[in-house]
Amino acid sequence: MAREASRTPVTDALEDMRASSARIASSARASSTRCRAWAGATNAPVSATRRAAEAFVERWEALGATPSDGLGDDLASMRPLDDAPSKLCVENAVYESDVFRKMHVELAWGDGGFEVLHVVMYPWAERAAPVYAADAVGFGGRLSLCVVDCAPVTSDLSLPETYEDVGGRMLEETLKLGVARRELPEWGRAILGPLCLCVGPRADETASRDVDAFFDYAYKLHDAHCELAKAPELVLESGSTRALDAQVRFCDRQLENEKTRRALERAFGVDVADRYMREVLFDVTASTPRSRPL
């Protein structure tokens, strides 16, 4: 009886999320042998970012998400121009579901062991659910910047209470491990919220621990998000563009990331880089559909 009395809505939610995360992870491991493989990842060097990219795709397939047809072949798999000063290869996978309009993972690699993982999940904008976003950048076998968040779709960067409670506990548990946080990049300060974890693993014996802790949190936050975003109370009233406006703001801020733009321009040219950023990475506009077509 004492144990029952100590339970709260928050602990109940946390237990539900942990159970859900375990189910998703288990299904993802099974799906890797029975689902369609993401062929693009097999071209990339084996690395932390490749393993993470494959893990996200496996999770999406385990959840029943389906590959999207909205990505043109010329932007799905990209190779550098012959005379490009930078040799950068990019592979993309895009999925969708009843809850998420776009579930996108980008894996990039290039000269000197350069590697990038980019993940973004845009809910259908009829839902006031956050935008899940994760990025990891490395060079020479070491990740130097890792960022993950459920980016709020509110003007004050607040989250639904369930996200604050469940995600907040997960973040607290991760920080107790001694992960070295770093300051957010300039482009992220206006769009990332209270669940954001930004780390810059140090070049010492703690680097591997920090990377493992980051990805563990990124997966747990992802799995919780996939459950919490389904909540009926997040469905907006007919005609509301609040979530869509926030997703547009998220994309506009991301497009200000000049480091990403310059890296793409050196490999693929200015025009292709701009198309890729606006049509693949950050493609939400005022005309983006609010709900999945019937």
Side-chain angles (χ1 to χ4, degrees), residues 175-196:
L175 294 177
K176 285 180 179 178
L177 300 175
V179 175
R181 300 182 86 172
R182 60 172 284 178
E183 187 177 6
L184 279 176
E186 181 66 32
W187 54 263
R189 295 172 191 171
I191 54 176
L192 302 180
L195 300 184
C196 179

Side-chain angles (χ1 to χ4, degrees), residues 21-31 34 62:
S21 182
R23 289 195 301 271
I24 293 172
S26 177
S27 297
R29 287 191 293 270
S31 75
R34 70 172 185 265

Side-chain angles (χ1 to χ4, degrees), residues 89-157:
C89 300
V90 179
E91 294 286 350
N92 296 280
V94 179
Y95 285 68
E96 66 177 50
S97 72
D98 289 340
V99 177
F100 297 100
R101 179 187 69 84
K102 185 174 186 178
M103 308 160 81
H104 173 217
V105 60
E106 173 205 74
L107 182 64
W109 65 96
D111 300 333
F114 180 65
E115 56 182 300
V116 174
L117 170 75
H118 171 74
V119 181
V120 66
M121 299 168 66
Y122 299 106
W124 291 102
E126 65 184 354
R127 293 179 176 272
V131 176
Y132 180 89
D135 292 277
V137 180
F139 191 81
R142 186 178 76 86
L143 296 183
S144 56
L145 173 65
C146 302
V147 185
V148 64
D149 190 26
C150 281
V153 291
T154 54
S155 58
D156 62 355
L157 299 183

